Amino acid sequence: MSIQLKKGILDLCVLSKLSLNDSYGYDIYQTINNVLGISESTIYPILRKMVKEGYLTTYLQESPEGPARKYFKITRLGKKHLENLKDNWITFVKDVNSLLR
Amino acid sequence: MKRKFLSELERYLAPLSTEERNEILRFYEERFQSGKIYENKSESEIVDELETPKQIAINVLEEYGHDTTNLEKDRQIPQDNSFNWGRLIWVLILDFFIVVALVPALIGIFIGLIAGWGGLIYVIFTPGLHNVAPIINLVFIGIAILGLFLLLWLYDVIISIFIWIIRAHLKIFNHKDPSKILKSMYHLKISTYLKHHSSLKRSKSIITALALLAIFIGGIVGFVRYGGINSAQFNQPLETYETSFDMSDEIAQTENLTINIDIYSSDINFIVSDTEEIVVYVKESEDMPLEIEYNDADNNLNITSEINRTTFLINLFTQIFQENPELTIEIPNDLNLQEISVKSRNSKLNIQDIEVINDLNIDITNGDINLSNITLDNLLTESTNGRITLVDIEISEIIDVSLTNGSINARRLSATNYYFENVNGDINLRDIDTTEKDGETLEVELTNGDINLENVYVKEVTLNNVNGDIEFNNNDLTFIFDDVDANTTNGDEDINVPQY
């Protein structure tokens, strides 16, 4: 998979993961890494970028066992963007599959 | 650790705006803290988990659309799939060491252990032992079992060493996933096999315990029965024996007489006295009646015994407190003997003060051999277990001593050709050919043990050992050897004598 393609998909994966529940950076990385095998350092700029673009917001959550963690929450805009990306992805997969057959 | 990591990362992230940079640094700061607190990891463990600061910076900068070619350039050379020549040289040195030292050493140890183990197995299946001292056999069986386990363990160690070597080589060639190859090698190890078969592992422990018990019981009983491993039989006063045979009537011609002895489990003594006749003193055991007969035709005196073969188990209990039968042959001091030939199992043999004799042939399976103050042409002894002590022996031709388990100690010998051979035990030679200094050849072959030579004056000396040291010291350094050839695979060679 080309790096460019992978990065586009990463956006989709991050948003999709956060649409289920809020989470912090390392947890997001681990979830995606289990499936795609990415490097940790690519995930943080993506998260930051999406916060900047208004797809995500952050908040600090105190934890009983340790220091506060920065949690990411998907915004309404983010959800809309996710739907877009999802549609694009499904179309994309369909198209490619039709070529493969 | 953490500070160094973060400050390095900060440096690499210089192209970013302050806000962007701090954001990334905060992520990693958080990463350290949660790793420490939630996963109980040390800072260095977390650093190991993470990419290098440079790699992170490259990924991040790319993400923000910065140029990273500068960073990547000096990253690509030392790392990734580039070939490391320094490491290659190290591996070549390692290979050289393996070929020159490690492999021969391992082969030596292996040969030594197999030879030692084979010697023990040979002892166990020696018929004499089954008939006479089965309780002692327990010790040998126990040691043989432990020896076998030691062999298997050594096999595992060798496999481990090779796994380590292969890992080092794979690393050099940047193999992506060495664990797959190494995993299949781990399956070659016996301990891996045992790990998956717990019942076998349990039986191994039980067998080990039984072997130790056998050694313990056999050792204790053997000590009670034989009074330990003690060969101080020299100058033992002659006791009154139950029977004696005056052979003077039978033996027609005492000149050039040959004496053949083929008996089991006895103390055999040859002594010289002022008497005119050959007298044979016997203290018999019911199990082993002796037969003494003189053969006119070839002038042989034959002393043989027949064994009432009883089963192994009965012997095991009846033999414990029995005493060895004794055979003492008294010889007139002016008798010219042709040959003495002794063949026996489980016997102690003492021969002393015999001056005129041609050949002495000894073949003893278990027992000590003590020879002192003898003058003869050829001395040939072949024995399996026991100590051989030779003192004050003058041989005009050949001495050939061959042993499997035990030590060979020789002092004040002279001969023309010397051969000493042993598998397990030391060989000590002192004061050899000190007066004439005209011995031709001396050959010593040993597998496990040390070879010590002191004051040995024989023109050509060959000393071969596998596991053990070789030491050679002479007082008279004006004696120059034609050749001294000393080789040991695992051990030190300490040769301090002059040679051409």
Side-chain angles (χ1 to χ4, degrees), chain A residues 7 24-26 30 39-42 44-49 52 63 65-70 72, chain B residues 19-20 23-24 26-28 30-31 33-34 37-39 49-51 55-56 59-60 63-64:
Chain A
K7 275 178 184 165
Y24 54 94
Y26 186 50
Q30 278 183 319
S39 69
E40 197 175 343
S41 48
T42 51
Y44 297 129
I46 288 171
L47 288 170
R48 194 188 175 276
K49 187 187 76 193
K52 234 177 164 183
S63 155
E65 307 118 67
R69 272 174 163 160
K70 191 179 188 180
F72 292 85
Chain B
E19 194 199 338
E20 285 168 331
E23 193 108 59
I24 295 297
R26 272 237 308 283
F27 270 118
Y28 278 96
E30 187 188 302
R31 180 74 172 73
Q33 287 202 333
S34 57
I37 288 156
Y38 296 106
E39 295 174 71
E49 248 175 41
L50 295 170
E51 297 152 287
Q55 183 61 52
I56 292 168
N59 285 341
V60 171
E63 204 68 42
Y64 286 104

Side-chain angles (χ1 to χ4, degrees), chain B residues 164-420:
Chain B
W164 179 74
I165 290 165
I166 287 168
R167 179 183 289 139
H169 281 80
L170 289 176
K171 216 171 159 191
I172 284 303
F173 296 107
N174 285 315
H175 195 277
K176 288 243 169 59
D177 191 11
S179 58
K180 231 179 235 168
I181 296 169
L182 296 175
K183 212 173 173 184
S184 63
M185 286 215 54
Y186 277 114
H187 283 292
L188 290 175
K189 286 176 70 167
I190 292 161
S191 57
T192 314
Y193 186 80
L194 287 181
K195 229 176 250 171
H196 298 298
H197 298 79
S198 53
S199 60
L200 267 178
K201 200 176 175 185
R202 210 174 307 124
S203 34
K204 188 193 149 202
S205 317
I206 292 170
I207 292 168
T208 310
L210 286 176
L212 286 171
L213 191 72
I215 293 171
F216 183 71
I217 292 175
I220 293 267
V221 174
F223 192 81
V224 170
R225 163 90 166 79
Y226 295 102
I229 307 155
N230 183 7
S231 61
Q233 287 257 317
F234 272 133
N235 303 319
Q236 176 185 289
L238 193 65
E239 290 170 36
T240 331
Y241 293 97
E242 283 164 7
T243 28
S244 69
F245 302 89
D246 185 342
M247 304 306 293
S248 53
D249 297 338
E250 285 88 355
I251 300 173
Q253 189 194 346
T254 50
E255 290 290 303
N256 295 324
L257 176 74
T258 298
I259 300 176
N260 293 312
I261 298 175
D262 187 354
I263 62 176
Y264 288 88
S265 193
S266 306
D267 291 351
I268 304 166
N269 301 296
F270 279 83
I271 54 165
V272 172
S273 75
D274 297 336
T275 50
E276 299 285 315
E277 302 87 19
I278 294 177
V279 185
V280 180
Y281 298 94
V282 178
K283 189 172 161 190
E284 281 177 287
S285 129
E286 273 178 31
D287 285 349
M288 271 164 283
L290 288 185
E291 210 167 285
I292 303 172
E293 107 195 320
Y294 174 71
N295 187 329
D296 232 345
D298 41 16
N299 199 20
N300 280 7
L301 174 64
N302 300 317
I303 301 171
T304 52
S305 71
E306 262 176 54
I307 312 169
N308 294 336
R309 284 178 183 268
T310 38
T311 61
F312 181 82
L313 265 181
I314 292 170
N315 258 321
L316 193 71
F317 295 109
T318 56
Q319 286 291 321
I320 298 173
F321 301 104
Q322 264 181 17
E323 267 182 73
N324 267 0
E326 288 181 9
L327 171 72
T328 302
I329 299 158
E330 200 179 33
I331 301 166
N333 53 12
D334 57 350
L335 183 65
N336 189 356
L337 278 173
Q338 172 67 34
E339 183 185 338
I340 294 177
S341 163
V342 180
K343 203 174 163 207
S344 179
R345 300 194 190 285
N346 311 313
S347 296
K348 287 176 191 161
L349 174 67
N350 293 310
I351 303 180
Q352 45 192 308
D353 306 324
I354 294 185
E355 281 191 2
V356 193
I357 180 173
N358 291 344
D359 295 341
L360 183 53
N361 291 313
I362 299 168
D363 179 355
I364 287 187
T365 300
N366 302 297
D368 296 344
I369 300 173
N370 291 311
L371 308 178
S372 71
N373 199 14
I374 300 174
T375 308
L376 74 168
D377 292 340
N378 292 299
L379 171 60
L380 212 110
T381 90
E382 204 183 327
S383 58
T384 310
N385 302 299
R387 243 189 255 181
I388 298 181
T389 311
L390 310 170
V391 182
D392 289 315
I393 298 181
E394 221 174 284
I395 300 148
S396 57
E397 285 160 37
I398 294 169
I399 171 169
D400 188 342
V401 178
S402 159
L403 180 66
T404 306
N405 302 304
S407 61
I408 301 175
N409 291 297
R411 208 170 166 189
R412 294 194 295 275
L413 298 190
S414 67
T416 311
N417 303 99
Y418 303 78
Y419 302 97
F420 294 95

